[in-house]
Amino acid sequence: MAAEVFSDAWAKAWCEKLNGSEAYGKAAARWEGALILVVEADPSLGIQEDRAVYLDLWHGACRDARAATPEDFEDAAYVITADPYSWKQVLEGQLEPISGIMRGKLKLTKGSVASLAPFVLAARELVASATQVEASFPEGWA
């Protein structure tokens, strides 16, 4: 059964895909730090409140993934926020995350673009793994 995007089950399935990806492991070998991805609320799309997932990423491995808690926002090295449409573009491979940040479609609300710049390939592999997760979008978002 498909997990709804930005849910706890989806985050856990994504973590499994990351840990099974040799390409991600190599591309993210120097990555250190947790990442939170936030999709902004849009009731017209069935998203009643902001949703966020937490990924504990460390040297090419996903050590943990889940729905983000308030404490996670304090501890995470990076927080990236976007509207549902932009995230759908990312998850469908139409928008690369770093490019999306540079173009203002995704907002880096914690962390710096300069510290993310060396990890463009890791970001691509992160998204590639996400696209392999059997996922569903809330009604109206699809």
Side-chain angles (χ1 to χ4, degrees):
M1 187 169 141
E4 192 167 272
V5 294
F6 288 87
S7 68
D8 190 68
W10 178 75
K12 290 181 184 326
W14 188 8
C15 187
E16 288 179 23
K17 293 290 184 187
L18 287 168
N19 286 331
S21 170
E22 186 177 326
Y24 173 74
K26 287 180 181 177
R30 295 183 307 117
W31 176 275
E32 294 182 0
L35 171 69
I36 294 178
L37 306 177
V38 181
V39 62
E40 298 166 336
D42 188 332
S44 71
L45 298 177
I47 305 166
Q48 303 305 321
E49 57 189 28
D50 287 359
R51 295 182 186 181
V53 292
Y54 168 88
L55 299 167
D56 181 3
L57 305 172
W58 193 259
H59 296 274
C62 178
R63 300 190 296 190
D64 189 21
R66 62 182 182 277
T69 66
E71 294 80 24
D72 292 334
F73 280 87
E74 293 175 25
D75 297 337
Y78 302 96
V79 176
I80 301 172
T81 304
D83 62 80
Y85 178 73
S86 295
W87 278 125
K88 190 162 192 244
Q89 286 185 306
V90 169
L91 295 173
E92 291 179 342
Q94 299 170 359
L95 176 64
E96 291 184 359
I98 305 298
S99 171
I101 290 168
M102 300 303 286
R103 293 171 43 204
K105 291 184 171 250
L106 306 176
K107 295 173 243 116
L108 184 62
T109 57
K110 184 175 183 186
S112 74
V113 174
S115 64
L116 283 177
F119 300 104
V120 171
L121 185 55
R124 283 185 192 142
E125 294 300 332
L126 192 73
V127 170
S129 291
T131 64
Q132 295 173 11
V133 175
E134 188 176 339
S136 65
F137 291 88
E139 189 175 326
W141 188 358

